[in-house]
Amino acid sequence: MINSIGIIGVGAIAEAVVIGFCKSNVPPQNILLSPRNEERARQLAKRFSNIEIATSNQEVASNSELLIIAIRPQIVAEVLPSLRFRKDQWVLSLVAGVSIQQLGDLLNPASQIVRMIPLPAIARHEGPILMSPPTQEIADLFEGMGSLIQVEQEADLDTFCAVTGLMAPYFGLLDRCVGWLSANGIEESKAFDFVGALYECLGRTPQDSTEKDFGKVAKEHATPQGFNEQAL
């Protein structure tokens, strides 16, 4: 079991992963954070006793069984070449759009490289977690932190990732619903609570459905000649 985890780059997604780890039934014994984004790292260390902040990225790389790379793709070529890695070290990349082959050239001699796409909901142990290639050691670490989907072909990660680009439009739709209700005389706080509760229950509906067909689920929610059928 992997107990020592280092994270280079403590942005919003890395923060969500750390919180998810620390809320697990058996959290990692030690999580070492890079000094980048110092305020976020400091708040995490204050909140969880198993978190420490390193003085450098090299300290993180040198003292972790699993090294998580969570920096922006634009600075990968700037940050990684200056670091030294170990051949026996696991590396988990959360960097969007950078392939394992590209990372391999920068992480040499480390060769156990896995890519993952988590979402912010991982902090609540919810939502999909995409990973390639399928890797039992990493899968065990993320057990119970969401719906882990392991794919053989790395290119499939980028295909899945395209759909995550609809998160902001989704919340934009909810915001328009609240705005419409408010414009029609509904108190804004009540409109927010209603819309949030409505879409929360809709989001959970597939968990109770035996059909893996959203088209059929849509029809089940569309009364003939009703509002939903017209909108659909």
Side-chain angles (χ1 to χ4, degrees):
M1 180 178 178
I2 296 171
N3 287 307
S4 176
I5 298 173
I7 302 180
I8 294 179
V10 190
I13 290 295
E15 178 183 33
V17 170
V18 169
I19 294 172
F21 279 147
C22 293
K23 288 184 175 180
S24 297
N25 292 331
V26 184
Q29 293 178 3
N30 180 260
I31 300 176
L32 186 61
L33 304 180
S34 65
R36 191 179 183 89
N37 294 327
E38 182 180 0
E39 177 60 23
R40 181 177 272 129
R42 188 177 62 80
Q43 290 298 326
L44 287 169
K46 183 178 179 180
R47 183 175 176 184
F48 301 107
S49 61
N50 59 335
I51 292 178
E52 298 180 18
I53 303 175
T55 58
S56 67
N57 288 337
Q58 184 58 59
E59 182 182 349
V60 177
S62 298
N63 292 281
S64 55
E65 296 174 65
L66 170 65
L67 178 64
I68 298 178
I69 307 295
I71 57 180
R72 292 181 291 109
Q74 294 90 340
I75 63 172
V76 165
E78 171 190 336
V79 173
L80 298 185
S82 63
L83 302 177
R84 300 183 305 279
F85 306 97
R86 303 191 311 276
K87 187 175 182 178
D88 65 338
Q89 190 169 40
W90 284 100
V91 178
L92 178 63
S93 172
L94 310 185
V95 183
V98 180
S99 70
I100 290 176
Q101 181 177 349
Q102 290 172 305
L103 290 167
D105 295 337
L106 299 170
L107 296 169
N108 189 53
S111 58
Q112 301 177 114
I113 304 170
V114 177
R115 281 185 63 195
M116 178 176 285
I117 302 174
L119 299 179
I122 195 173
R124 304 190 303 271
H125 291 185
E126 295 177 351
I129 306 170
L130 297 165
M131 186 173 80
S132 183
T135 308
Q136 192 59 51
E137 290 86 348
I138 307 299
D140 290 343
L141 188 64
F142 284 84
E143 183 178 0
M145 290 174 60
S147 300
L148 182 63
I149 301 170
Q150 302 190 65
V151 296
E152 295 284 350
Q153 301 299 320
E154 182 186 357
D156 290 344
L157 289 184
D158 298 317
T159 305
F160 274 114
C161 192
V163 178
T164 69
L166 295 175
M167 290 189 293
Y170 168 80
F171 287 111
L173 172 63
L174 271 60
D175 184 58
R176 286 297 183 96
C177 291
V178 172
W180 184 87
L181 289 168
S182 299
N184 282 275
I186 304 298
E187 183 181 331
E188 186 171 358
S189 63
K190 291 181 179 179
F192 181 90
D193 290 343
F194 171 77
V195 171
L198 172 63
Y199 280 86
E200 179 182 19
C201 74
L202 291 177
R204 295 185 185 277
T205 298
Q207 299 175 14
D208 302 321
S209 177
T210 56
E211 297 281 358
K212 289 188 177 294
D213 186 332
F214 283 114
K216 290 182 179 179
V217 176
K219 290 180 180 179
E220 289 173 359
H221 285 72
T223 302
Q225 298 183 358
F227 289 155
N228 276 280
E229 184 181 72
Q230 294 177 57
L232 180 62

